[in-house]
Amino acid sequence: MNTSSNQPAGETGSNEGGQATGEGSIKGELVFLTNRTDMVGKQYTDYEKRFEEQYPEVDLKFEAIQDYEKNMKIRISSGSFPDIVLIGPGIANSELPKYFAPLDDIEFSGDIWFAESKASEGKMYGVSSGNSTVGIVYNKKAFEKAGINEIPKTRDEFMEAAQKLKDAGIVPLASNFKDKWPLGAWVYDVPTMMSADPNHQNERAETDTPYTMDNVYGQSWSLLRELKEKGYLEKDINSTNWEQSKKAVAQGDFAMYLLGNWVINQIIENGAAAEDIGFSPFPADNSGELKAPLNPDWFYAVNKDGNVAAAKAFVKWMIEESGYDEFAGFIPTLKDKEASLAQLKEFQGYNPQMIEAGPPSSEATEIQNKAQIDQEAAVQEFVLAKDPQKVLDKLNDQWTKAKKSLGY
């Protein structure tokens, strides 16, 4: 299997009509650019074999890269990128037709989640690779050792549980602060839980001061700051390591993650017994009314100048036949397909209000990109700052300048 193909898409592939079906057009080299470096030589080898058995005229290859969002955007802006890529929030929906083929003609076996999230002018340009919610992934043995017999349903109960864990010599919450990207939960998900509003990122476009101490961002980031100040995070948050933290949670040295359900299988792979790992909604306030976001993961997108027909067949196969959603611990993209993960069933048993994320607004995305605001880095700065208000002031200044320069 070739994992480092840099051949420009479209040179060897076929784009005969760009149909999602039709065996005659599904052939040629097909390259998928992926963020899952951990699957290379493992699950992807199996996917390659199974897909090529179904489509013997296709030569499927995987190219896995790190720092995916940054490097993928560089590849796309260069005009030379593989047949299938994963896209996130960094590309405005209005820009999608410049690079990608519409995917509306893929005949899925049922309705899919987030069909409108990567749409432009009524056409769908992205299909969610899987979906997730965010909550507390916890080690049951660590809870037992600390004498925690009830899952926290309020913020005060959560803080009490964290103190019990700390007193028992267990790190209450693995933040992976240094690695930065896990802090996205405090940018997107905790604000959604606090407000029951999935559109808070879009609503930033309506103001010159989207980051204030008393709105969802200040409240969310202040909560993380409080956890740090009370000693409920890693002892040295500036030297945390993502791969090591999975082992620590698996072993019960760390008790909890505030992350998506996709991390559950990774903890189990690092040595935890499946029955020792639980998943519950995060109580972001004291109302006792639990809320949880429903989020898409990366979206499959197809290079409009690449091997479109084979790429569409691969997207359909990934959603319906690959088993990737089970491997990744996702809520399936097909609405009528039940999640297989026991921890997701536990989570749903708490009956949280599920808040479905809406599509990103082009205005907010454009301002975000123009301002070059790294929100996860802003969380780091806020938590460590002597005066966190100055961090918010700086962000608002960047935002306002970018907003005005774009004419919004």
mmCIF file of all heavy atoms in Angstrom, residues 284-306:
data_model
loop_
_atom_site.group_PDB
_atom_site.id
_atom_site.type_symbol
_atom_site.label_atom_id
_atom_site.label_comp_id
_atom_site.label_asym_id
_atom_site.label_seq_id
_atom_site.Cartn_x
_atom_site.Cartn_y
_atom_site.Cartn_z
ATOM 1 N N ALA A 284 -22.559 21.250 32.627
ATOM 2 C CA ALA A 284 -21.907 22.556 32.466
ATOM 3 C C ALA A 284 -22.482 23.616 33.390
ATOM 4 O O ALA A 284 -21.890 24.692 33.539
ATOM 5 C CB ALA A 284 -22.024 23.011 31.009
ATOM 6 N N ASP A 285 -23.642 23.324 34.012
ATOM 7 C CA ASP A 285 -24.240 24.300 34.931
ATOM 8 C C ASP A 285 -24.932 23.544 36.061
ATOM 9 O O ASP A 285 -24.822 22.318 36.161
ATOM 10 C CB ASP A 285 -25.226 25.222 34.191
ATOM 11 C CG ASP A 285 -26.326 24.451 33.466
ATOM 12 O OD1 ASP A 285 -26.808 23.428 34.007
ATOM 13 O OD2 ASP A 285 -26.708 24.862 32.355
ATOM 14 N N ASN A 286 -25.639 24.255 36.897
ATOM 15 C CA ASN A 286 -26.283 23.647 38.065
ATOM 16 C C ASN A 286 -27.776 23.402 37.873
ATOM 17 O O ASN A 286 -28.492 23.135 38.841
ATOM 18 C CB ASN A 286 -26.061 24.510 39.307
ATOM 19 C CG ASN A 286 -24.693 24.283 39.926
ATOM 20 O OD1 ASN A 286 -24.227 23.145 40.011
ATOM 21 N ND2 ASN A 286 -24.036 25.353 40.339
ATOM 22 N N SER A 287 -28.246 23.472 36.636
ATOM 23 C CA SER A 287 -29.680 23.315 36.392
ATOM 24 C C SER A 287 -30.146 21.882 36.592
ATOM 25 O O SER A 287 -31.332 21.639 36.842
ATOM 26 C CB SER A 287 -30.012 23.761 34.964
ATOM 27 O OG SER A 287 -29.436 22.868 34.019
ATOM 28 N N GLY A 288 -29.234 20.926 36.450
ATOM 29 C CA GLY A 288 -29.624 19.528 36.497
ATOM 30 C C GLY A 288 -30.201 19.028 35.189
ATOM 31 O O GLY A 288 -30.543 17.854 35.060
ATOM 32 N N GLU A 289 -30.324 19.932 34.214
ATOM 33 C CA GLU A 289 -30.825 19.565 32.883
ATOM 34 C C GLU A 289 -29.622 19.338 31.967
ATOM 35 O O GLU A 289 -28.974 20.284 31.536
ATOM 36 C CB GLU A 289 -31.731 20.665 32.335
ATOM 37 C CG GLU A 289 -32.966 20.906 33.195
ATOM 38 C CD GLU A 289 -33.761 22.118 32.736
ATOM 39 O OE1 GLU A 289 -33.330 22.772 31.751
ATOM 40 O OE2 GLU A 289 -34.792 22.419 33.362
ATOM 41 N N LEU A 290 -29.325 18.096 31.690
ATOM 42 C CA LEU A 290 -28.130 17.755 30.940
ATOM 43 C C LEU A 290 -28.324 18.024 29.450
ATOM 44 O O LEU A 290 -29.379 17.745 28.887
ATOM 45 C CB LEU A 290 -27.780 16.285 31.163
ATOM 46 C CG LEU A 290 -27.437 15.918 32.615
ATOM 47 C CD1 LEU A 290 -27.326 14.406 32.768
ATOM 48 C CD2 LEU A 290 -26.143 16.597 33.051
ATOM 49 N N LYS A 291 -27.294 18.575 28.849
ATOM 50 C CA LYS A 291 -27.318 18.890 27.424
ATOM 51 C C LYS A 291 -26.060 18.329 26.774
ATOM 52 O O LYS A 291 -25.030 18.169 27.432
ATOM 53 C CB LYS A 291 -27.379 20.402 27.194
ATOM 54 C CG LYS A 291 -28.542 21.105 27.882
ATOM 55 C CD LYS A 291 -28.469 22.604 27.667
ATOM 56 C CE LYS A 291 -29.549 23.335 28.447
ATOM 57 N NZ LYS A 291 -29.288 23.296 29.904
ATOM 58 N N ALA A 292 -26.158 18.051 25.490
ATOM 59 C CA ALA A 292 -25.001 17.536 24.768
ATOM 60 C C ALA A 292 -25.091 17.945 23.303
ATOM 61 O O ALA A 292 -26.177 17.950 22.723
ATOM 62 C CB ALA A 292 -24.940 16.021 24.883
ATOM 63 N N PRO A 293 -23.962 18.295 22.715
ATOM 64 C CA PRO A 293 -23.975 18.633 21.292
ATOM 65 C C PRO A 293 -23.965 17.379 20.427
ATOM 66 O O PRO A 293 -23.466 16.332 20.836
ATOM 67 C CB PRO A 293 -22.656 19.404 21.120
ATOM 68 C CG PRO A 293 -21.742 18.784 22.144
ATOM 69 C CD PRO A 293 -22.622 18.401 23.315
ATOM 70 N N LEU A 294 -24.550 17.483 19.256
ATOM 71 C CA LEU A 294 -24.393 16.447 18.237
ATOM 72 C C LEU A 294 -23.593 17.071 17.105
ATOM 73 O O LEU A 294 -24.052 18.013 16.458
ATOM 74 C CB LEU A 294 -25.742 15.952 17.726
ATOM 75 C CG LEU A 294 -25.678 14.865 16.634
ATOM 76 C CD1 LEU A 294 -24.998 13.605 17.160
ATOM 77 C CD2 LEU A 294 -27.072 14.545 16.099
ATOM 78 N N ASN A 295 -22.392 16.588 16.911
ATOM 79 C CA ASN A 295 -21.453 17.213 15.982
ATOM 80 C C ASN A 295 -21.044 16.266 14.868
ATOM 81 O O ASN A 295 -20.847 15.069 15.103
ATOM 82 C CB ASN A 295 -20.165 17.628 16.713
ATOM 83 C CG ASN A 295 -20.419 18.657 17.792
ATOM 84 O OD1 ASN A 295 -21.201 19.570 17.616
ATOM 85 N ND2 ASN A 295 -19.747 18.506 18.923
ATOM 86 N N PRO A 296 -20.852 16.792 13.665
ATOM 87 C CA PRO A 296 -20.227 15.985 12.622
ATOM 88 C C PRO A 296 -18.726 15.938 12.846
ATOM 89 O O PRO A 296 -18.146 16.854 13.433
ATOM 90 C CB PRO A 296 -20.557 16.750 11.346
ATOM 91 C CG PRO A 296 -20.620 18.184 11.783
ATOM 92 C CD PRO A 296 -21.172 18.153 13.193
ATOM 93 N N ASP A 297 -18.100 14.861 12.405
ATOM 94 C CA ASP A 297 -16.646 14.823 12.394
ATOM 95 C C ASP A 297 -16.194 15.414 11.051
ATOM 96 O O ASP A 297 -16.895 16.214 10.451
ATOM 97 C CB ASP A 297 -16.153 13.394 12.590
ATOM 98 C CG ASP A 297 -14.726 13.339 13.125
ATOM 99 O OD1 ASP A 297 -14.528 13.620 14.313
ATOM 100 O OD2 ASP A 297 -13.808 13.028 12.341
ATOM 101 N N TRP A 298 -15.024 15.044 10.577
ATOM 102 C CA TRP A 298 -14.574 15.487 9.267
ATOM 103 C C TRP A 298 -15.571 15.047 8.190
ATOM 104 O O TRP A 298 -16.227 14.019 8.324
ATOM 105 C CB TRP A 298 -13.204 14.871 8.941
ATOM 106 C CG TRP A 298 -12.091 15.327 9.826
ATOM 107 C CD1 TRP A 298 -11.623 14.689 10.940
ATOM 108 C CD2 TRP A 298 -11.273 16.496 9.667
ATOM 109 N NE1 TRP A 298 -10.571 15.389 11.481
ATOM 110 C CE2 TRP A 298 -10.337 16.497 10.721
ATOM 111 C CE3 TRP A 298 -11.249 17.528 8.735
ATOM 112 C CZ2 TRP A 298 -9.385 17.497 10.870
ATOM 113 C CZ3 TRP A 298 -10.301 18.531 8.879
ATOM 114 C CH2 TRP A 298 -9.380 18.507 9.941
ATOM 115 N N PHE A 299 -15.643 15.831 7.129
ATOM 116 C CA PHE A 299 -16.507 15.504 5.996
ATOM 117 C C PHE A 299 -15.670 15.003 4.820
ATOM 118 O O PHE A 299 -14.636 15.596 4.487
ATOM 119 C CB PHE A 299 -17.273 16.751 5.531
ATOM 120 C CG PHE A 299 -18.398 17.160 6.433
ATOM 121 C CD1 PHE A 299 -18.153 17.823 7.627
ATOM 122 C CD2 PHE A 299 -19.716 16.898 6.084
ATOM 123 C CE1 PHE A 299 -19.189 18.221 8.456
ATOM 124 C CE2 PHE A 299 -20.762 17.281 6.913
ATOM 125 C CZ PHE A 299 -20.501 17.942 8.092
ATOM 126 N N TYR A 300 -16.139 13.926 4.195
ATOM 127 C CA TYR A 300 -15.539 13.501 2.932
ATOM 128 C C TYR A 300 -15.907 14.511 1.849
ATOM 129 O O TYR A 300 -17.082 14.890 1.710
ATOM 130 C CB TYR A 300 -16.066 12.127 2.510
ATOM 131 C CG TYR A 300 -15.751 11.006 3.472
ATOM 132 C CD1 TYR A 300 -16.762 10.336 4.145
ATOM 133 C CD2 TYR A 300 -14.441 10.598 3.695
ATOM 134 C CE1 TYR A 300 -16.485 9.292 5.021
ATOM 135 C CE2 TYR A 300 -14.142 9.560 4.568
ATOM 136 C CZ TYR A 300 -15.170 8.927 5.224
ATOM 137 O OH TYR A 300 -14.892 7.886 6.103
ATOM 138 N N ALA A 301 -14.909 14.933 1.083
ATOM 139 C CA ALA A 301 -15.139 15.809 -0.061
ATOM 140 C C ALA A 301 -14.345 15.268 -1.240
ATOM 141 O O ALA A 301 -13.260 14.700 -1.063
ATOM 142 C CB ALA A 301 -14.728 17.239 0.260
ATOM 143 N N VAL A 302 -14.881 15.468 -2.441
ATOM 144 C CA VAL A 302 -14.314 14.871 -3.653
ATOM 145 C C VAL A 302 -13.784 15.971 -4.572
ATOM 146 O O VAL A 302 -14.516 16.901 -4.933
ATOM 147 C CB VAL A 302 -15.382 14.030 -4.384
ATOM 148 C CG1 VAL A 302 -14.883 13.577 -5.758
ATOM 149 C CG2 VAL A 302 -15.780 12.823 -3.533
ATOM 150 N N ASN A 303 -12.517 15.857 -4.917
ATOM 151 C CA ASN A 303 -11.873 16.782 -5.846
ATOM 152 C C ASN A 303 -12.621 16.776 -7.176
ATOM 153 O O ASN A 303 -12.729 15.741 -7.826
ATOM 154 C CB ASN A 303 -10.411 16.347 -6.043
ATOM 155 C CG ASN A 303 -9.619 17.289 -6.923
ATOM 156 O OD1 ASN A 303 -10.154 18.133 -7.636
ATOM 157 N ND2 ASN A 303 -8.293 17.134 -6.887
ATOM 158 N N LYS A 304 -13.138 17.933 -7.585
ATOM 159 C CA LYS A 304 -13.939 17.965 -8.814
ATOM 160 C C LYS A 304 -13.106 17.662 -10.056
ATOM 161 O O LYS A 304 -13.665 17.300 -11.104
ATOM 162 C CB LYS A 304 -14.638 19.319 -8.967
ATOM 163 C CG LYS A 304 -13.740 20.501 -9.274
ATOM 164 C CD LYS A 304 -14.582 21.757 -9.478
ATOM 165 C CE LYS A 304 -13.715 22.934 -9.917
ATOM 166 N NZ LYS A 304 -14.536 24.150 -10.134
ATOM 167 N N ASP A 305 -11.782 17.799 -9.961
ATOM 168 C CA ASP A 305 -10.897 17.497 -11.085
ATOM 169 C C ASP A 305 -10.226 16.135 -10.938
ATOM 170 O O ASP A 305 -9.310 15.807 -11.696
ATOM 171 C CB ASP A 305 -9.817 18.583 -11.218
ATOM 172 C CG ASP A 305 -10.414 19.943 -11.542
ATOM 173 O OD1 ASP A 305 -11.365 19.987 -12.345
ATOM 174 O OD2 ASP A 305 -9.946 20.954 -10.986
ATOM 175 N N GLY A 306 -10.650 15.368 -9.947
ATOM 176 C CA GLY A 306 -10.047 14.071 -9.697
ATOM 177 C C GLY A 306 -10.874 12.934 -10.260
ATOM 178 O O GLY A 306 -11.682 13.114 -11.184
#
